[in-house]
Amino acid sequence: LALAIQNDRTFWIGDELNHNCIIRAMRIASVPRENKAIYAHNDLDQLKACIEKVPAGIDRVVVIFDGVFSMRGDTAPIARIHEVLAPHRERFADGLITVVDDSHGVGAFGATGRGTEEYAGERADVIVGTFGKAFGVNGGFVASSASLIEAVRQKSDTYIYTNPLSVADCAAAQVAVDITDSEEGRQRLRHLHARIAQFREGLASLGLESIEGPHPVVPLLVRDTQRTRDVVRGFFERGVLVVGLTFPVVPKGSETIRFQVNAAHTEPDIDHVLGILAELVR
Ligand SMILES: Cc1ncc(COP(=O)(O)O)c(C=O)c1O
């Protein structure tokens, strides 16, 4: 996507906690430093300042953010982002577009699994995502207007000069999308959302620190590298896989254990994990 829309009159604005693939994409597309601005995580005052300071000579602005921030499980407030951008919509000859990377949202989030847009009640102009999470396959997608997709097909050499997804992957992704968009899928989502609520309530009643949000990514803030490692090992020894994020992946003091609840987890599974937490994290 970045290769398709980048030129020297394009300016990019992104959330500081954007996923690494967004940062890499801008490097691959050779976006110069002076054509980029970053706002503090979900800080709409800073976003407003960034858009107001876009220099003269820019024809297109791209505002890009994760839908669900993968390390934290919190979400981009798409409707409020659009409110901040609204006064600037007509300012640029080639437009002002929002792009959401909803890799963690699509398939798992929102009442029918349509992701952060459904949760926020507002659509971005472009949505990119993966089939590798909720859908359990490989590969990913860009969804937008026909003209933008055509530009991606014609101009993105990382897309053109690589093998396409295999037929089997595409077929599996299609079936996964169909299941999500069926009564069976909605039933699984209701179950998933109930398990997330159960887990979050359990964390709260144990007095443990998390980041608010209804997403399956549930962080437990441990704030100490050694303690994080000990708890992750304790879970592993008890047959539960959880992911520790320690320095230098996250700054010192932000060490976190990332739990990911999924639709296959049962009520007793969640109670089991909460029981281990009560034992390990006191
Ligand atoms: C926000 C976000 N974007 C992109 C990716 C990468 O997805 P893929 O491995 O399908 O490229 C991930 C997950 O690792 C992610 O969390």
Side-chain angles (χ1 to χ4, degrees):
L1 175 72
L3 284 167
I5 58 181
Q6 164 62 15
N7 62 31
D8 56 7
R9 283 163 285 106
T10 302
F11 193 91
W12 295 76
I13 302 176
D15 188 292
E16 66 171 340
L17 294 189
N18 275 349
H19 191 263
N20 182 268
C21 66
I22 296 176
I23 295 153
R24 289 279 156 200
M26 285 191 216
R27 290 191 187 144
I28 291 169
S30 305
V31 179
R33 188 181 295 260
E34 58 276 15
N35 285 36
K36 280 186 270 195
I38 295 171
Y39 56 94
H41 178 53
N42 277 347
D43 185 328
L44 300 184
D45 291 334
Q46 281 196 17
L47 170 61
K48 185 167 176 284
C50 289
I51 186 77
E52 283 169 356
K53 282 191 209 138
V54 171
I58 291 297
D59 285 346
R60 175 189 295 132
V61 173
V62 185
V63 179
I64 185 161
F65 41 84
D66 289 19
V68 176
F69 288 83
S70 55
M71 300 293 180
R72 302 166 49 93
D74 61 348
T75 62
I78 304 179
R80 289 196 291 129
I81 288 174
H82 279 186
E83 271 169 38
V84 169
L85 301 178
H88 303 271
R89 280 276 179 193
E90 306 304 322
R91 213 174 115 200
F92 306 99
D94 285 343
L96 164 57
I97 60 174
T98 52
V99 180
V100 60
D101 175 346
D102 209 17
S103 292
H104 276 281
V106 171
F109 201 38
T112 67
R114 282 168 167 75
T116 308
E117 292 184 326
E118 183 173 29
Y119 178 69
E122 178 87 356
R123 300 184 75 169
D125 300 306
V126 184
I127 175 165
V128 298
T130 182
F131 291 124
K133 298 191 189 293
F135 299 124
V137 195
N138 275 316
F141 60 89
V142 182
S144 188
S145 63
S147 55
L148 190 131
I149 299 305
E150 190 57 18
V152 172
R153 288 189 196 281
Q154 299 295 338
K155 293 174 72 179
S156 298
D157 46 11
T158 50
Y159 168 80
I160 295 165
Y161 297 101
T162 190
N163 285 307
L165 293 186
S166 73
V167 172
D169 279 332
C170 293
Q174 264 180 337
V175 172
V177 170
D178 287 345
I179 291 173
T180 310
D181 195 25
S182 69
E183 186 42 41
E184 181 193 346
R186 284 185 280 281
Q187 164 57 29
R188 286 193 198 192
L189 275 169
R190 284 193 290 274
H191 172 78
L192 173 65
H193 296 157
R195 298 290 68 77
I196 296 164
Q198 179 193 353
F199 187 56
R200 284 191 172 275
E201 278 158 25
L203 285 186
S205 65
L206 289 170
L208 300 175
E209 185 186 357
S210 186
I211 297 169
E212 285 291 307
H215 191 265
V217 173
V218 184
L220 169 68
L221 285 121
V222 182
R223 301 194 179 282
D224 179 86
T225 290
Q226 194 50 50
R227 198 148 177 253
T228 300
R229 291 203 175 119
D230 292 345
V231 174
V232 168
R233 173 166 292 277
F235 268 106
F236 189 75
E237 283 163 357
R238 289 161 181 76
V240 179
L241 184 66
V242 295
V243 179
L245 304 168
T246 51
F247 180 79
V249 176
V250 294
K252 283 189 180 146
S254 298
E255 292 87 341
T256 302
I257 296 177
R258 188 167 81 155
F259 292 84
Q260 282 189 261
V261 183
N262 72 46
H265 291 141
T266 62
E267 196 172 343
D269 288 339
I270 301 292
D271 281 339
H272 179 64
V273 170
L274 288 168
I276 298 175
L277 265 176
E279 185 191 330
L280 292 177
V281 189
R282 273 184 286 260

